[in-house]
Coordinates of all heavy atoms in Angstrom, one line a residue:
M1 N 21.1 13.3 27.2 CA 20.0 12.8 26.4 C 20.4 13.2 24.9 O 20.7 14.3 24.6 CB 18.7 13.5 26.8 CG 17.6 13.2 25.9 SD 16.0 14.1 26.3 CE 15.8 13.5 28.0
T2 N 20.2 12.2 24.0 CA 20.5 12.4 22.6 C 19.2 13.1 22.0 O 18.1 13.0 22.5 CB 20.8 11.1 21.9 OG1 19.6 10.3 21.9 CG2 21.9 10.3 22.5
V3 N 19.4 13.6 20.8 CA 18.3 14.2 20.1 C 17.2 13.2 19.8 O 16.0 13.4 19.9 CB 18.8 14.9 18.8 CG1 17.6 15.3 17.9 CG2 19.7 16.1 19.2
E4 N 17.7 12.0 19.4 CA 16.7 11.0 19.0 C 16.0 10.4 20.2 O 14.7 10.2 20.1 CB 17.4 9.8 18.2 CG 17.8 10.2 16.8 CD 16.7 11.0 16.0 OE1 15.6 10.5 15.9 OE2 17.1 12.0 15.5
S5 N 16.6 10.3 21.3 CA 15.9 9.8 22.5 C 14.9 11.0 23.0 O 13.8 10.7 23.5 CB 16.8 9.4 23.7 OG 17.6 10.5 24.1
A6 N 15.3 12.2 22.8 CA 14.4 13.3 23.2 C 13.2 13.3 22.3 O 12.1 13.5 22.8 CB 15.2 14.6 23.0
M7 N 13.4 13.1 21.0 CA 12.3 13.0 20.1 C 11.4 11.9 20.4 O 10.2 12.0 20.2 CB 12.8 13.0 18.6 CG 13.4 14.3 18.1 SD 12.3 15.7 18.4 CE 10.8 15.3 17.5
G8 N 11.9 10.7 20.8 CA 11.1 9.6 21.2 C 10.2 10.0 22.4 O 9.0 9.6 22.4
R9 N 10.7 10.7 23.4 CA 9.9 11.1 24.5 C 8.8 12.1 24.1 O 7.7 12.0 24.6 CB 10.8 11.8 25.6 CG 11.8 10.8 26.3 CD 12.6 11.5 27.3 NE 11.7 12.0 28.4 CZ 12.1 13.0 29.2 NH1 13.3 13.6 29.1 NH2 11.2 13.4 30.1
I10 N 9.2 13.0 23.2 CA 8.2 14.0 22.7 C 7.1 13.3 21.9 O 5.9 13.5 22.2 CB 8.9 15.0 21.9 CG1 9.8 15.9 22.7 CG2 7.8 15.9 21.1 CD1 10.7 16.8 22.0
R11 N 7.4 12.4 21.0 CA 6.5 11.6 20.3 C 5.5 10.8 21.2 O 4.3 10.8 21.0 CB 7.2 10.7 19.3 CG 7.7 11.3 18.1 CD 8.3 10.3 17.2 NE 9.0 10.9 16.1 CZ 8.4 11.5 15.0 NH1 7.1 11.6 15.0 NH2 9.1 12.0 14.1
E12 N 6.1 10.2 22.2 CA 5.3 9.4 23.1 C 4.3 10.3 23.9 O 3.2 9.9 24.1 CB 6.2 8.7 24.1 CG 5.5 7.8 25.1 CD 6.5 7.1 26.0 OE1 7.5 6.4 25.4 OE2 6.4 7.2 27.2
A13 N 4.7 11.5 24.3 CA 3.8 12.4 25.0 C 2.8 13.1 24.2 O 1.8 13.6 24.7 CB 4.7 13.4 25.8
D14 N 3.1 13.3 22.9 CA 2.3 14.1 22.0 C 1.2 13.2 21.4 O 1.3 12.4 20.6 CB 3.2 14.6 20.9 CG 2.4 15.7 20.0 OD1 1.3 16.1 20.4 OD2 3.0 16.1 19.1
D15 N 0.0 13.5 21.9 CA -1.2 12.8 21.5 C -1.5 13.2 20.0 O -1.6 14.4 19.7 CB -2.4 13.2 22.4 CG -3.7 12.5 22.0 OD1 -3.7 11.8 21.1 OD2 -4.7 12.8 22.7
I16 N -1.6 12.2 19.2 CA -1.9 12.4 17.7 C -3.2 13.2 17.5 O -3.3 13.8 16.4 CB -1.8 11.1 16.9 CG1 -1.6 11.4 15.5 CG2 -3.0 10.2 17.2 CD1 -1.0 10.3 14.7
D17 N -4.1 13.1 18.4 CA -5.4 13.8 18.2 C -5.3 15.3 18.3 O -6.2 16.0 18.0 CB -6.4 13.3 19.2 CG -6.8 11.9 18.9 OD1 -6.7 11.4 17.8 OD2 -7.2 11.2 19.9
R18 N -4.1 15.9 18.7 CA -4.0 17.3 18.9 C -4.2 18.0 17.5 O -4.8 19.1 17.4 CB -2.6 17.7 19.5 CG -2.5 17.3 20.9 CD -1.1 17.8 21.4 NE -0.6 16.9 22.4 CZ -1.0 16.8 23.6 NH1 -2.0 17.6 24.0 NH2 -0.5 16.0 24.5
T19 N -3.5 17.5 16.5 CA -3.6 18.1 15.2 C -3.5 16.9 14.2 O -3.2 15.8 14.5 CB -2.5 19.1 14.9 OG1 -1.2 18.4 15.0 CG2 -2.6 20.3 15.8
E20 N -3.6 17.3 12.9 CA -3.5 16.3 11.9 C -2.0 15.7 11.9 O -1.1 16.4 12.3 CB -3.8 16.9 10.5 CG -5.3 17.3 10.4 CD -5.6 17.8 9.0 OE1 -4.9 17.5 8.1 OE2 -6.5 18.6 8.9
A21 N -1.9 14.5 11.4 CA -0.6 13.8 11.4 C 0.4 14.6 10.6 O 1.6 14.7 11.1 CB -0.7 12.4 10.9
D22 N 0.1 15.3 9.5 CA 1.0 16.0 8.8 C 1.5 17.2 9.6 O 2.8 17.5 9.5 CB 0.4 16.5 7.4 CG 0.2 15.4 6.4 OD1 0.8 14.3 6.6 OD2 -0.6 15.6 5.5
D23 N 0.7 17.9 10.2 CA 1.1 19.0 11.1 C 2.0 18.5 12.2 O 3.0 19.2 12.5 CB -0.1 19.7 11.7 CG -1.0 20.4 10.6 OD1 -0.4 20.7 9.5 OD2 -2.1 20.7 10.9
R24 N 1.7 17.4 12.8 CA 2.5 16.9 13.8 C 3.9 16.5 13.4 O 4.9 16.9 14.0 CB 1.8 15.6 14.4 CG 2.5 14.9 15.5 CD 1.6 13.7 16.0 NE 2.1 13.1 17.1 CZ 2.7 11.9 17.1 NH1 2.7 11.2 16.0 NH2 3.2 11.4 18.3
E25 N 4.0 15.9 12.3 CA 5.3 15.5 11.7 C 6.1 16.7 11.4 O 7.3 16.8 11.6 CB 5.2 14.6 10.5 CG 4.7 13.2 10.8 CD 5.5 12.5 11.9 OE1 6.8 12.5 11.8 OE2 5.0 12.0 12.9
Q26 N 5.5 17.7 10.8 CA 6.2 19.0 10.5 C 6.7 19.6 11.7 O 7.9 20.1 11.8 CB 5.3 19.9 9.7 CG 6.0 21.2 9.2 CD 5.1 22.1 8.4 OE1 3.9 21.9 8.4 NE2 5.7 23.0 7.8
Q27 N 5.9 19.7 12.7 CA 6.3 20.3 14.0 C 7.4 19.5 14.7 O 8.4 20.1 15.1 CB 5.1 20.3 15.0 CG 5.3 21.2 16.2 CD 5.3 22.6 16.0 OE1 4.3 23.1 15.3 NE2 6.2 23.4 16.4
H28 N 7.4 18.2 14.6 CA 8.4 17.4 15.2 C 9.7 17.6 14.4 O 10.8 17.6 15.1 CB 8.0 15.9 15.2 CG 7.0 15.6 16.2 ND1 6.6 14.3 16.5 CD2 6.3 16.4 17.1 CE1 5.7 14.3 17.5 NE2 5.5 15.6 17.8
E29 N 9.7 17.8 13.2 CA 10.9 18.1 12.4 C 11.5 19.4 12.8 O 12.8 19.5 12.9 CB 10.6 18.1 10.9 CG 10.5 16.6 10.3 CD 11.7 15.8 10.6 OE1 12.9 16.2 10.4 OE2 11.5 14.6 11.1
M30 N 10.7 20.4 13.1 CA 11.2 21.7 13.6 C 11.8 21.5 15.0 O 12.9 22.1 15.3 CB 10.2 22.7 13.6 CG 9.6 23.1 12.2 SD 10.9 23.8 11.1 CE 11.3 22.4 10.1
Y31 N 11.2 20.7 15.8 CA 11.8 20.4 17.2 C 13.1 19.7 17.0 O 14.1 20.1 17.7 CB 10.9 19.5 18.0 CG 9.6 20.1 18.4 CD1 8.6 19.3 19.1 CD2 9.3 21.4 18.3 CE1 7.4 19.8 19.5 CE2 8.0 21.9 18.7 CZ 7.1 21.1 19.3 OH 5.9 21.6 19.8
R32 N 13.2 18.7 16.1 CA 14.5 18.0 15.9 C 15.6 19.0 15.4 O 16.7 18.9 15.9 CB 14.3 16.9 14.9 CG 15.5 16.1 14.6 CD 15.3 14.9 13.6 NE 14.7 13.8 14.4 CZ 13.5 13.4 14.2 NH1 12.7 14.0 13.3 NH2 13.0 12.4 14.9
K33 N 15.2 19.8 14.5 CA 16.2 20.8 14.0 C 16.7 21.7 15.1 O 17.9 22.0 15.2 CB 15.5 21.6 12.9 CG 16.5 22.6 12.2 CD 15.8 23.3 11.0 CE 16.7 24.3 10.3 NZ 16.2 24.9 9.1
T34 N 15.8 22.2 15.9 CA 16.2 23.0 17.0 C 17.1 22.3 18.0 O 18.1 22.8 18.5 CB 15.0 23.6 17.8 OG1 14.2 24.4 16.9 CG2 15.3 24.4 19.0
L35 N 16.7 21.0 18.4 CA 17.5 20.3 19.3 C 18.9 20.0 18.7 O 19.9 20.0 19.5 CB 16.8 19.0 19.7 CG 15.5 19.1 20.5 CD1 14.8 17.8 20.7 CD2 15.8 19.8 21.8
R36 N 19.0 19.7 17.5 CA 20.3 19.5 16.8 C 21.1 20.8 16.8 O 22.3 20.7 17.1 CB 20.1 19.0 15.4 CG 19.8 17.5 15.4 CD 19.9 16.9 14.0 NE 19.5 15.5 14.0 CZ 18.7 14.9 13.1 NH1 18.2 15.6 12.1 NH2 18.4 13.7 13.3
A37 N 20.5 21.9 16.6 CA 21.2 23.2 16.6 C 21.7 23.4 18.0 O 22.8 23.9 18.2 CB 20.3 24.3 16.1
L38 N 20.9 23.1 19.0 CA 21.3 23.3 20.4 C 22.5 22.4 20.8 O 23.4 22.8 21.4 CB 20.1 23.0 21.3 CG 20.3 23.2 22.8 CD1 20.7 24.6 23.1 CD2 19.0 22.8 23.5
E39 N 22.4 21.2 20.3 CA 23.5 20.2 20.5 C 24.8 20.7 19.9 O 25.9 20.6 20.5 CB 23.1 18.9 19.9 CG 24.0 17.7 20.1 CD 23.4 16.4 19.5 OE1 23.1 16.4 18.3 OE2 23.3 15.5 20.3
D40 N 24.7 21.4 18.8 CA 25.9 21.9 18.1 C 26.5 23.1 18.9 O 27.7 23.3 18.9 CB 25.6 22.3 16.7 CG 25.3 21.2 15.8 OD1 25.7 20.0 16.1 OD2 24.8 21.4 14.7
V41 N 25.6 23.9 19.5 CA 26.1 25.1 20.2 C 26.7 24.8 21.5 O 27.6 25.4 22.0 CB 24.9 26.1 20.3 CG1 25.3 27.3 21.3 CG2 24.5 26.6 19.0
T42 N 26.1 23.8 22.2 CA 26.5 23.4 23.6 C 27.4 22.1 23.5 O 26.9 21.0 23.4 CB 25.3 23.2 24.5 OG1 24.5 22.2 23.9 CG2 24.5 24.5 24.6
P43 N 28.7 22.3 23.6 CA 29.6 21.2 23.4 C 29.7 20.2 24.5 O 30.6 19.4 24.5 CB 30.9 21.8 23.1 CG 30.8 23.1 23.8 CD 29.4 23.5 23.8
D44 N 28.9 20.3 25.6 CA 29.1 19.4 26.7 C 28.7 18.0 26.4 O 27.9 17.7 25.5 CB 28.3 19.9 27.9 CG 26.8 20.1 27.7 OD1 26.4 19.9 26.5 OD2 26.1 20.5 28.6
D45 N 29.2 17.0 27.1 CA 29.0 15.6 26.8 C 27.6 15.1 27.1 O 27.2 14.2 26.5 CB 30.1 14.8 27.5 CG 31.5 15.0 26.9 OD1 31.6 15.3 25.7 OD2 32.5 14.7 27.6
D46 N 27.0 15.7 28.1 CA 25.7 15.2 28.6 C 24.5 15.8 27.9 O 23.4 15.4 28.2 CB 25.6 15.3 30.1 CG 25.6 16.7 30.6 OD1 25.8 17.6 29.8 OD2 25.5 16.9 31.8
D47 N 24.8 16.7 27.0 CA 23.7 17.4 26.3 C 22.6 17.9 27.2 O 21.4 17.7 27.0 CB 23.1 16.5 25.2 CG 24.1 16.1 24.1 OD1 24.8 17.1 23.7 OD2 24.2 15.0 23.7
E48 N 23.0 18.6 28.2 CA 22.1 19.2 29.2 C 21.0 20.1 28.5 O 19.9 20.1 28.9 CB 22.8 20.0 30.3 CG 21.9 20.6 31.3 CD 22.7 21.4 32.3 OE1 23.9 21.5 32.3 OE2 21.9 22.0 33.1
G49 N 21.5 20.9 27.5 CA 20.5 21.8 26.9 C 19.4 21.0 26.2 O 18.3 21.4 26.2
V50 N 19.7 19.9 25.6 CA 18.7 19.1 24.9 C 17.7 18.6 26.0 O 16.5 18.6 25.7 CB 19.4 17.9 24.1 CG1 18.3 16.9 23.6 CG2 20.2 18.4 23.0
T51 N 18.2 18.2 27.1 CA 17.4 17.7 28.2 C 16.4 18.8 28.7 O 15.2 18.6 28.9 CB 18.2 17.1 29.3 OG1 19.0 16.0 28.8 CG2 17.3 16.6 30.4
V52 N 17.0 20.0 28.9 CA 16.2 21.1 29.4 C 15.1 21.5 28.5 O 14.0 21.7 28.9 CB 17.2 22.3 29.7 CG1 16.4 23.6 30.0 CG2 18.1 22.0 30.9
V53 N 15.4 21.6 27.2 CA 14.4 22.1 26.2 C 13.4 21.0 26.0 O 12.2 21.2 25.9 CB 15.1 22.5 24.9 CG1 14.1 22.8 23.8 CG2 16.0 23.7 25.1
T54 N 13.8 19.7 26.0 CA 12.9 18.6 25.9 C 11.9 18.6 27.0 O 10.7 18.4 26.8 CB 13.6 17.2 25.8 OG1 14.4 17.3 24.6 CG2 12.6 16.1 25.7
N55 N 12.4 18.7 28.2 CA 11.6 18.7 29.4 C 10.6 19.9 29.4 O 9.4 19.8 29.8 CB 12.4 18.8 30.7 CG 13.1 17.5 31.0 OD1 12.7 16.4 30.5 ND2 14.1 17.5 31.8
W56 N 11.0 21.0 28.9 CA 10.1 22.2 28.7 C 9.0 21.9 27.7 O 7.8 22.2 28.0 CB 10.9 23.4 28.3 CG 10.1 24.6 28.1 CD1 9.7 25.5 29.1 CD2 9.6 25.1 26.9 NE1 9.0 26.5 28.6 CE2 8.8 26.3 27.2 CE3 9.6 24.7 25.6 CZ2 8.1 27.0 26.3 CZ3 8.9 25.5 24.6 CH2 8.2 26.6 25.0
I57 N 9.4 21.3 26.6 CA 8.3 20.9 25.6 C 7.3 19.9 26.3 O 6.1 20.1 26.1 CB 9.0 20.2 24.4 CG1 9.8 21.2 23.6 CG2 7.9 19.6 23.5 CD1 10.7 20.6 22.5
L58 N 7.8 19.0 27.0 CA 6.9 18.0 27.7 C 6.0 18.7 28.7 O 4.8 18.4 28.8 CB 7.7 16.9 28.3 CG 8.5 16.0 27.3 CD1 9.4 15.0 28.1 CD2 7.6 15.3 26.4
E59 N 6.6 19.6 29.4 CA 5.8 20.4 30.4 C 4.7 21.2 29.7 O 3.5 21.3 30.2 CB 6.6 21.4 31.2 CG 7.6 20.7 32.2 CD 8.6 21.6 32.7 OE1 8.5 22.9 32.5 OE2 9.5 21.1 33.4
Q60 N 5.0 21.8 28.6 CA 4.0 22.5 27.8 C 2.8 21.6 27.3 O 1.7 21.9 27.4 CB 4.6 23.2 26.6 CG 5.6 24.2 26.9 CD 5.1 25.3 27.8 OE1 4.2 26.0 27.5 NE2 5.8 25.5 29.0
L61 N 3.2 20.4 26.9 CA 2.2 19.4 26.4 C 1.3 19.0 27.6 O 0.1 18.9 27.4 CB 2.9 18.2 25.8 CG 3.5 18.4 24.4 CD1 4.4 17.2 24.1 CD2 2.4 18.5 23.4
E62 N 1.9 18.8 28.8 CA 1.1 18.4 29.9 C 0.3 19.5 30.5 O -0.9 19.3 30.8 CB 2.1 17.9 31.0 CG 2.6 16.5 30.8 CD 3.5 16.1 32.0 OE1 3.3 16.6 33.1 OE2 4.4 15.3 31.8
S63 N 0.8 20.7 30.5 CA 0.1 21.8 31.2 C -1.1 22.3 30.5 O -2.2 22.6 31.0 CB 1.0 22.9 31.5 OG 1.5 23.6 30.4
D64 N -1.0 22.5 29.2 CA -2.1 23.1 28.4 C -2.6 22.2 27.3 O -3.5 22.6 26.6 CB -1.8 24.5 28.0 CG -0.6 24.6 27.0 OD1 -0.1 23.5 26.5 OD2 -0.2 25.7 26.7
G65 N -2.0 21.0 27.1 CA -2.4 20.1 26.1 C -2.1 20.6 24.7 O -2.5 20.0 23.7
E66 N -1.3 21.7 24.6 CA -1.0 22.2 23.2 C 0.5 21.9 23.0 O 1.4 22.0 23.9 CB -1.2 23.7 23.2 CG -2.7 24.0 23.3 CD -3.5 23.7 22.1 OE1 -3.0 23.7 21.0 OE2 -4.7 23.2 22.3
R67 N 0.8 21.7 21.7 CA 2.2 21.6 21.3 C 2.8 23.0 21.2 O 2.2 23.9 20.5 CB 2.2 20.9 20.0 CG 3.5 20.4 19.5 CD 3.5 19.7 18.2 NE 2.5 18.6 18.2 CZ 1.5 18.5 17.4 NH1 1.3 19.4 16.4 NH2 0.7 17.4 17.5
P68 N 3.9 23.3 21.8 CA 4.5 24.7 21.7 C 5.0 24.9 20.2 O 5.4 24.0 19.5 CB 5.7 24.7 22.6 CG 6.0 23.2 22.9 CD 4.8 22.4 22.7
S69 N 4.9 26.1 19.8 CA 5.3 26.5 18.5 C 6.8 26.3 18.3 O 7.6 26.3 19.3 CB 4.9 27.9 18.1 OG 5.8 28.8 18.9
S70 N 7.2 26.2 17.0 CA 8.7 26.0 16.8 C 9.4 27.3 17.2 O 10.5 27.2 17.8 CB 8.9 25.9 15.2 OG 10.2 25.9 14.9
K71 N 8.8 28.4 17.1 CA 9.4 29.7 17.5 C 9.6 29.7 19.0 O 10.6 30.1 19.5 CB 8.6 30.9 17.1 CG 9.2 32.2 17.3 CD 8.4 33.3 16.7 CE 9.1 34.7 17.0 NZ 8.4 35.7 16.3
A72 N 8.6 29.2 19.8 CA 8.7 29.2 21.2 C 9.8 28.2 21.7 O 10.5 28.5 22.6 CB 7.4 28.8 21.8
V73 N 10.0 27.1 21.0 CA 11.0 26.2 21.3 C 12.4 26.7 21.0 O 13.3 26.6 21.8 CB 10.8 24.8 20.6 CG1 11.9 23.9 20.8 CG2 9.5 24.2 21.0
R74 N 12.5 27.4 19.9 CA 13.8 28.1 19.6 C 14.1 29.2 20.6 O 15.3 29.3 21.1 CB 13.8 28.7 18.2 CG 13.8 27.7 17.1 CD 14.2 28.3 15.7 NE 13.4 29.5 15.4 CZ 12.2 29.5 14.8 NH1 11.6 28.4 14.4 NH2 11.6 30.6 14.5
R75 N 13.1 29.9 21.1 CA 13.3 30.9 22.1 C 13.8 30.3 23.4 O 14.7 30.8 24.0 CB 12.0 31.7 22.3 CG 12.1 32.8 23.3 CD 10.8 33.7 23.4 NE 9.6 32.8 23.3 CZ 8.7 33.0 22.4 NH1 8.7 34.0 21.6 NH2 7.7 32.2 22.4
R76 N 13.1 29.2 23.8 CA 13.5 28.5 25.0 C 15.0 28.0 24.9 O 15.8 28.1 25.8 CB 12.6 27.4 25.3 CG 13.0 26.6 26.6 CD 12.9 27.5 27.8 NE 13.4 26.9 29.0 CZ 14.6 27.0 29.6 NH1 15.4 27.8 29.1 NH2 14.9 26.4 30.7
A77 N 15.4 27.5 23.8 CA 16.8 27.0 23.5 C 17.7 28.2 23.6 O 18.8 28.1 24.2 CB 16.8 26.3 22.2
R78 N 17.4 29.3 23.0 CA 18.2 30.5 23.0 C 18.4 31.0 24.4 O 19.5 31.4 24.8 CB 17.6 31.6 22.1 CG 18.4 32.8 21.9 CD 17.8 33.8 20.9 NE 16.4 34.1 21.1 CZ 15.4 33.7 20.3 NH1 15.6 32.9 19.3 NH2 14.1 34.0 20.6
E79 N 17.3 31.0 25.2 CA 17.4 31.5 26.6 C 18.4 30.6 27.4 O 19.2 31.0 28.2 CB 16.0 31.4 27.3 CG 15.1 32.5 26.8 CD 13.6 32.3 27.2 OE1 13.4 31.3 27.9 OE2 12.8 33.1 26.9
Y80 N 18.2 29.3 27.1 CA 19.2 28.3 27.8 C 20.6 28.6 27.4 O 21.5 28.7 28.3 CB 18.8 26.9 27.4 CG 19.9 25.9 28.0 CD1 19.8 25.5 29.3 CD2 20.9 25.5 27.1 CE1 20.8 24.6 29.7 CE2 21.9 24.7 27.6 CZ 21.9 24.3 28.9 OH 22.9 23.4 29.4
C81 N 20.9 28.8 26.2 CA 22.2 29.1 25.7 C 22.8 30.4 26.3 O 23.9 30.4 26.9 CB 22.3 29.2 24.2 SG 22.0 27.7 23.3
R82 N 22.0 31.4 26.3 CA 22.5 32.7 26.8 C 22.7 32.6 28.3 O 23.6 33.2 28.9 CB 21.6 33.8 26.4 CG 21.7 34.0 24.9 CD 20.9 35.2 24.4 NE 21.2 35.4 22.9 CZ 20.3 35.9 22.1 NH1 19.2 36.3 22.5 NH2 20.7 36.0 20.8
A83 N 21.8 31.9 29.0 CA 21.9 31.8 30.5 C 23.2 31.0 30.9 O 23.7 31.2 32.0 CB 20.7 31.2 31.1
N84 N 23.6 30.2 30.0 CA 24.8 29.3 30.2 C 26.1 29.7 29.5 O 27.0 29.0 29.4 CB 24.5 27.9 29.9 CG 23.5 27.3 31.0 OD1 23.9 27.0 32.1 ND2 22.2 27.3 30.6
G85 N 26.1 30.9 29.0 CA 27.3 31.5 28.4 C 27.6 31.1 27.0 O 28.7 31.2 26.5
Y86 N 26.7 30.5 26.3 CA 26.9 30.1 24.9 C 26.4 31.2 23.9 O 25.3 31.7 24.1 CB 26.1 28.8 24.6 CG 26.6 27.6 25.4 CD1 25.7 27.1 26.3 CD2 27.8 27.0 25.3 CE1 26.1 26.0 27.2 CE2 28.2 25.9 26.1 CZ 27.3 25.4 27.0 OH 27.7 24.4 27.8
D87 N 27.2 31.5 23.0 CA 26.8 32.5 22.0 C 25.9 32.0 21.0 O 26.1 30.9 20.4 CB 28.1 33.0 21.3 CG 29.0 33.8 22.2 OD1 28.5 34.5 23.1 OD2 30.2 33.8 22.0
V88 N 24.9 32.8 20.7 CA 23.9 32.4 19.7 C 23.7 33.6 18.8 O 23.3 34.7 19.2 CB 22.5 32.1 20.2 CG1 21.5 31.8 19.1 CG2 22.6 30.9 21.2
S89 N 24.1 33.5 17.5 CA 24.0 34.6 16.6 C 22.6 34.8 16.1 O 21.8 33.8 16.0 CB 24.9 34.3 15.3 OG 24.7 35.2 14.3
D90 N 22.2 36.0 15.8 CA 20.9 36.3 15.2 C 20.7 35.6 13.9 O 19.6 35.4 13.4 CB 20.7 37.8 15.1 CG 20.5 38.4 16.4 OD1 20.2 37.7 17.4 OD2 20.7 39.7 16.5
N91 N 21.8 35.2 13.2 CA 21.8 34.6 11.9 C 21.6 33.0 12.0 O 21.4 32.4 11.0 CB 23.0 34.9 11.1 CG 23.1 36.4 10.8 OD1 22.1 37.0 10.6 ND2 24.3 36.9 10.8
D92 N 21.8 32.5 13.2 CA 21.7 31.0 13.4 C 20.2 30.7 13.6 O 19.3 31.5 13.9 CB 22.4 30.6 14.7 CG 23.9 30.7 14.6 OD1 24.4 30.7 13.5 OD2 24.5 30.9 15.7
W93 N 19.9 29.4 13.4 CA 18.5 28.9 13.6 C 18.0 29.3 15.0 O 16.8 29.7 15.1 CB 18.5 27.4 13.4 CG 17.2 26.7 13.7 CD1 16.9 26.0 14.8 CD2 16.0 26.8 12.9 NE1 15.6 25.6 14.7 CE2 15.0 26.1 13.6 CE3 15.7 27.4 11.7 CZ2 13.7 25.9 13.1 CZ3 14.4 27.3 11.2 CH2 13.4 26.6 11.9
L94 N 18.8 29.1 16.0 CA 18.3 29.4 17.3 C 18.1 30.9 17.6 O 17.4 31.3 18.5 CB 19.3 28.9 18.4 CG 19.5 27.4 18.5 CD1 20.5 27.0 19.5 CD2 18.1 26.7 18.7
G95 N 18.8 31.7 16.8 CA 18.7 33.2 17.0 C 17.5 33.8 16.3 O 17.3 35.0 16.4
Q96 N 16.8 33.1 15.5 CA 15.7 33.6 14.7 C 14.5 33.8 15.5 O 14.1 33.1 16.4 CB 15.4 32.7 13.5 CG 16.6 32.6 12.6 CD 16.2 31.7 11.4 OE1 15.2 31.2 11.2 NE2 17.2 31.5 10.6

C-alpha cells in the first residue's frame, strides 16, 4: 500500500464532524509524515508497515470514533519497526 492510497483510506473513514476541518488536515499531515518515515525505514517492496499502521488507525476510528493522536501513530509505527528488526533512532520522527 502506498502512502497516498493509505491516506485516501484514512480520509474516507474519518468523519469530518469529529473535529474542525483545520484540525483534521493538520492531523492527516502528521499521519502522512509518519507513514512516509515508516516507508523510508522499512525497505520492503510491499510496504507492509504502511498497511499495518493504516489498518491500526482505521481500527481506532471504528472502535471509539476518535482519531488517534500523532504520537500514538508514531508509537504504533515504532513498535512495528522494532518487532520486525528495523532500527529506529530516538532522533528520528518515529523515535520521538
Side-chain angles (χ1 to χ4, degrees):
M1 173 181 301
T2 67
V3 171
E4 290 312 311
S5 65
M7 288 307 303
R9 290 182 63 203
I10 292 167
R11 284 184 187 285
E12 185 177 302
D14 191 5
D15 182 359
I16 198 158
D17 292 334
R18 289 184 212 287
T19 60
E20 294 181 27
D22 289 343
D23 292 340
R24 181 177 185 249
E25 289 306 312
Q26 183 178 16
Q27 189 77 47
H28 286 189
E29 282 306 310
M30 293 299 101
Y31 291 172
R32 180 177 281 111
K33 184 175 181 176
T34 298
L35 293 174
R36 283 192 179 135
L38 181 60
E39 188 177 53
D40 291 344
V41 171
T42 59
D44 56 356
D45 290 334
D46 62 358
D47 294 320
E48 179 184 355
V50 171
T51 301
V52 167
V53 173
T54 298
N55 288 340
W56 180 82
I57 292 169
L58 295 173
E59 288 169 10
Q60 299 302 303
L61 285 167
E62 282 182 26
S63 68
D64 62 11
E66 296 290 324
R67 192 179 305 124
S69 70
S70 175
K71 186 174 183 175
V73 173
R74 287 194 315 270
R75 182 177 36 238
R76 179 63 184 102
R78 185 173 53 250
E79 289 169 0
Y80 171 83
C81 289
R82 291 187 176 150
N84 289 281
Y86 299 111
D87 291 326
V88 176
S89 169
D90 290 340
N91 296 326
D92 292 336
W93 175 253
L94 296 179
Q96 296 180 3

